[in-house]
Amino acid sequence: MSGRRLFDVAIVGAGMVGAALALDLAQRGFDVALVESRPPAPWRAEDEVDLRVVALAASSIALLQRLDVWTSIAASRASAYRRMQVWDALAPGSLGFDAADEGAAALGYIVENKLIQSALWRAIERQPAIRLHCPARVVATEVSTGAAIESRITNHESRLLTLDDGTQLKARLVVAADGDDSALRGLLGIATRDRDYAQRGIVAHVAHERAHEATAWQRFLPGATLAFLPLADGRSSIVWSVPNDEAERLLALDDVAFRTELGAAFDFRLGAITATTRRAAFPLRLRLAERYAAPRFALVGDAAHVVHPLAGQGVNLGFRDAVELANVLAEAKNRKVADSSHDFASEYTLRRYERRRRSDNAIAANAFDVIQRGFGSDVAAVAALRGVGLALVDRVAPLKRFFAHHAAG
Ligand SMILES: Cc1cc2nc3c(=O)[nH]c(=O)nc-3n(C[C@H](O)[C@H](O)[C@H](O)COP(=O)(O)OP(=O)(O)OC[C@H]3O[C@@H](n4cnc5c(N)ncnc54)[C@H](O)[C@@H]3O)c2cc1C
């Protein structure tokens, strides 16, 4: 029975971040239980490109390559972006990045969330060190001493998870990767610092008159941001972040009126918008967990931090959490094997993970927050300052390199 088996790590949530972490840990020799409330919809080449896509930075691609899933993702449907152009509706400056300046083939890739998740799931199904529980939800969790459960953990604590079907899982470490509204974070009583942007991100795929030139475009408008991300089929995936009432209005427009407004908001940079898919919208907020670690417990991905999508960094930060957590656990495990103890998930180790990731994520989240507020302003002096800022970063090579390296992770 699962309740008697001791896993090294139990991960709750098998979205992109939880699934990547499970695979990474299994490949490093950990026994993993993975709990997911709903199986992901399968990705099929013949289906229309899914509306949820992410811009993957170089650090995320490196992880997916190491996990041996990138080749199949790239062969299925991934779109390289080689340039990035950022400009402002109210100020003259602009900022451009080119992969060639970095000596790289691409700055990153646009990929459907569903494709990334399904490639990871296929690899998980082939991995004997991962036990998948799906569909299942955690209803309770507590720390236990474990001495009576298995002799090899005498004197070491573990954490018990109770699932909604009555199954009990015991693991030396439980990781919450259950997303934005993390139920597990709630069960642990970990508070979050929240800011509602009172905005929604409208997403759609659109066709346009001119070629996108493998460029990711971002235009700042008063109170809004608009990104065009290049898709492999020549269309672009848009993320148009606008105040809630404006989102309501834009969602209610018919396709022709929506295309006209979108083209104008994008300053017709790619000519007229000639076609659009259906639209979907997501509420936008900043949410930062006050702690990333508790006894026998850690948070990763959106369960730990939700950021504004303007910089396209949410899952990239989540993948960096996964890598860092796997690194500290593996280092601790190797050290402990050397001294014949088995505790790789001590408070000391979990605090190391927390220290390394929490400040990094908070800096990124707050930077996006400042950009969102500064670029949202239509005050003339603020707009002029933005123009000077963009032009300055564009012209000063070390500054530009700094931003390019940060975006690449
Ligand atoms: C409009 C928009 C555009 C974005 N663009 C980008 C981008 O370009 N680049 C980028 O890096 N990021 C982007 N993001 C952010 C990115 O989508 C998220 O950061 C990412 O999806 C988070 O992944 P995750 O695995 O942490 O969480 P999730 O994707 O939310 O996965 C959580 C998983 O946990 C499961 N789960 C939930 N509750 C339970 C439970 N109680 N028990 C068991 N399982 C549970 C869910 O079913 C799900 O599978 C964007 C976000 C938005 C809204």
Side-chain angles (χ1 to χ4, degrees):
M1 174 185 149
S2 300
R4 292 290 152 189
R5 175 167 168 196
L6 177 73
F7 289 94
D8 289 330
V9 184
I11 300 167
V12 180
M16 293 183 281
V17 175
L21 177 63
L23 209 50
D24 196 356
L25 288 173
Q27 289 179 1
R28 294 175 195 237
F30 291 85
D31 274 341
V32 180
L34 184 56
V35 181
E36 167 59 51
S37 57
R38 59 192 154 108
W43 181 89
R44 285 185 299 249
E46 62 274 23
D47 290 347
E48 161 65 319
V49 181
D50 196 65
L51 283 185
R52 292 299 308 267
V53 301
V54 281
L56 292 179
S59 58
S60 299
I61 302 204
L63 169 66
L64 296 171
Q65 280 169 334
R66 186 161 57 73
L67 299 179
D68 207 14
V69 293
W70 177 248
T71 308
S72 88
I73 292 173
S76 301
R77 198 152 60 195
S79 173
Y81 62 98
R82 300 194 172 82
R83 281 173 291 279
M84 200 187 285
Q85 272 299 324
V86 182
W87 81 107
D88 190 314
L90 297 184
S94 76
L95 174 59
F97 296 102
D98 194 320
D101 298 338
E102 299 294 308
L107 291 173
Y109 287 80
I110 311 298
V111 188
E112 291 150 83
N113 297 16
K114 204 163 114 172
L115 171 55
I116 299 168
Q117 195 189 10
S118 88
L120 289 165
W121 272 60
R122 280 204 312 277
I124 283 169
E125 281 156 12
R126 294 191 299 269
Q127 174 51 263
I130 302 176
R131 169 83 69 86
L132 185 60
H133 295 260
C134 177
R137 283 176 179 277
V138 174
V139 292
T141 179
E142 65 191 61
V143 181
S144 59
T145 59
I149 303 297
E150 204 173 294
S151 57
R152 70 188 174 114
I153 59 155
T154 305
N155 299 328
H156 293 291
E157 286 178 317
S158 57
R159 185 170 278 281
L160 185 69
L161 290 177
T162 306
L163 308 187
D164 52 1
D165 63 1
T167 305
Q168 292 201 311
L169 299 175
K170 194 170 276 279
R172 288 217 192 88
L173 175 67
V174 167
V175 181
D178 51 350
D180 186 352
D181 284 322
S182 172
L184 209 50
R185 185 186 60 216
L187 286 175
L188 267 284
I190 296 180
T192 57
R193 179 165 73 79
D194 289 21
R195 199 160 93 80
D196 186 352
Y197 286 116
Q199 283 188 339
R200 290 214 267 162
I202 299 176
V203 297
H205 301 325
V206 299
H208 26 71
E209 278 179 326
R210 289 205 281 275
H212 55 46
E213 297 170 359
T215 303
W217 312 81
Q218 172 107 303
R219 188 175 197 222
F220 288 100
L221 298 134
T225 54
L226 175 56
F228 272 54
L229 307 173
L231 295 176
D233 61 13
R235 294 179 298 167
S236 294
S237 175
I238 64 149
V239 184
W240 196 356
S241 305
V242 292
N244 287 333
D245 51 352
E246 179 66 355
E248 287 300 323
R249 192 186 68 76
L250 290 170
L251 290 167
L253 294 176
D254 64 32
D255 280 2
V256 176
F258 178 74
R259 288 196 274 117
T260 307
E261 292 218 18
L262 178 63
F266 198 54
D267 204 18
F268 300 104
R269 191 56 80 102
L270 298 178
I273 307 300
T274 53
T276 179
T277 59
R278 71 179 180 88
R279 290 150 249 166
F282 299 89
L284 304 183
R285 64 182 161 208
L286 173 73
R287 171 169 278 176
L288 299 174
E290 289 186 349
R291 288 183 290 139
Y292 280 19
R296 304 282 147 186
F297 182 78
L299 287 169
V300 293
D302 272 23
H305 44 78
V306 179
V307 300
H308 196 285
L310 68 86
Q313 287 298 319
V315 83
N316 293 302
L317 297 175
F319 281 147
R320 278 172 232 160
D321 298 341
V323 170
E324 193 61 57
L325 183 59
N327 282 345
V328 297
L329 295 178
E331 279 166 24
K333 189 177 184 194
N334 292 338
R335 234 190 355 261
K336 297 298 174 188
V337 163
D339 69 12
S340 79
S341 156
H342 292 280
D343 191 9
F344 56 82
S346 65
E347 189 181 342
Y348 171 79
T349 299
L350 298 180
R351 294 275 169 239
R352 274 181 81 199
Y353 160 69
E354 180 177 58
R355 263 197 315 279
R356 289 184 187 181
R357 288 307 303 153
R358 196 162 155 255
S359 59
D360 205 20
N361 289 330
I363 289 167
N366 288 319
F368 307 150
D369 194 43
V370 167
I371 293 170
Q372 194 275 331
R373 286 198 238 189
F375 277 88
S377 167
D378 56 1
V379 175
V382 179
L385 208 61
R386 290 198 301 257
V388 172
L390 285 179
L392 189 73
V393 174
D394 198 51
R395 278 184 215 137
V396 179
L399 260 184
K400 200 166 162 176
R401 227 172 291 127
F402 171 82
F403 280 99
H405 283 156
H406 261 261

